[in-house]
Amino acid sequence: MEAIQSLELYELLIFIAIGLAVLFFGYKIKKIAFFAIWFLLGFNLMLHLMPMINDSVPQIANDPIYQNLLPIAGGIILGAMGFTIEKLCVAGITFVLVMLAVVQYFGTDWMVLGIGAVVGVIAGAFAVNMMKPAIIVATAAAGAYALTLTIFAFFSQQISFEIFYWPVLIIIGVIGALFQFKNNKGIV
């Protein structure tokens, strides 16, 4: 959450735009949605890795160009992967969403992460077998995640993250999934 709160206004607006597109039109624009989802994951992963990279390579820590470009490069690399490998993306998105929930609510103990990984792999395999509905649910969940984080970034002083994170995430995700199922009736 701290990484999102440190973003500039234009970056938050980009997160909102991508989140809305993926939330409501994820199945119709699935290739773009996969790129956007994996871009956001890569961008966030690099934001979390930047302190370690900065400690290891002082030249990067002192250069603002690297500070801005490395998260974007991480996003582009994962985004390109997401654009090309559809089944892996659905399984990966499902796995990552399970692991995010596990880390958020149960911590980062090795046993917890191991159990979360097993559940994530099973959920990912199930998602691949239910490909079309899984794409809708996964894109709605990913879009809801991006929007939820930006909502809390904008209103962090007014809304309690601990109390309202899951209700907001679930409500936005359900709205997006229902919208996609309704607008993709003949496809799904």
Side-chain angles (χ1 to χ4, degrees), residues 47 103 127 162:
L47 285 177
V103 168
E162 292 79 22

Side-chain angles (χ1 to χ4, degrees), residues 167-185:
V168 170
L169 178 71
I170 290 169
I171 290 169
I172 293 173
V174 167
I175 290 169
L178 290 174
F179 182 87
Q180 286 193 60
F181 277 118
K182 183 177 184 269
N183 288 321
N184 293 305
K185 262 188 183 165

Side-chain angles (χ1 to χ4, degrees), residues 78-127:
L78 280 183
M81 182 194 79
F83 186 76
T84 57
I85 311 170
E86 187 172 295
K87 287 185 180 183
L88 178 64
C89 286
V90 170
I93 291 167
T94 305
F95 178 82
V96 168
L97 291 173
V98 168
M99 291 305 290
L100 285 171
V102 166
V103 168
Q104 180 75 31
Y105 283 95
F106 301 109
T108 56
D109 182 59
W110 286 106
M111 183 68 77
V112 170
L113 291 176
I115 292 169
V118 169
V119 171
V121 167
I122 292 168
F126 180 73

Side-chain angles (χ1 to χ4, degrees), residues 42-181:
F43 187 88
N44 280 322
L45 177 64
M46 283 305 295
L47 285 177
H48 290 294
L49 292 176
M50 286 306 290
M52 185 177 67
I53 293 170
N54 290 340
D55 290 342
S56 300
V57 185
Q59 294 85 353
I60 291 175
N62 297 328
D63 191 346
I65 292 175
Y66 282 123
Q67 295 297 308
N68 292 323
L69 288 183
L70 282 178
I72 293 170
I76 290 172
I77 289 169
L78 280 183
M81 182 194 79
F83 186 76
T84 57
I85 311 170
E86 187 172 295
K87 287 185 180 183
L88 178 64
C89 286
V90 170
I93 291 167
T94 305
F95 178 82
V96 168
L97 291 173
V98 168
M99 291 305 290
L100 285 171
V102 166
V103 168
Q104 180 75 31
Y105 283 95
F106 301 109
T108 56
D109 182 59
W110 286 106
M111 183 68 77
V112 170
L113 291 176
I115 292 169
V118 169
V119 171
V121 167
I122 292 168
F126 180 73
V128 169
N129 286 329
M130 304 285 297
M131 194 65 147
K132 289 178 183 176
I135 290 171
I136 289 175
V137 171
T139 57
Y145 179 71
L147 288 175
T148 300
L149 289 181
T150 55
I151 287 169
F152 283 104
F154 278 120
F155 302 107
S156 63
Q157 302 300 320
Q158 294 88 0
I159 303 174
S160 171
F161 182 81
E162 292 79 22
I163 296 172
F164 292 108
Y165 173 76
W166 280 106
V168 170
L169 178 71
I170 290 169
I171 290 169
I172 293 173
V174 167
I175 290 169
L178 290 174
F179 182 87
Q180 286 193 60
F181 277 118

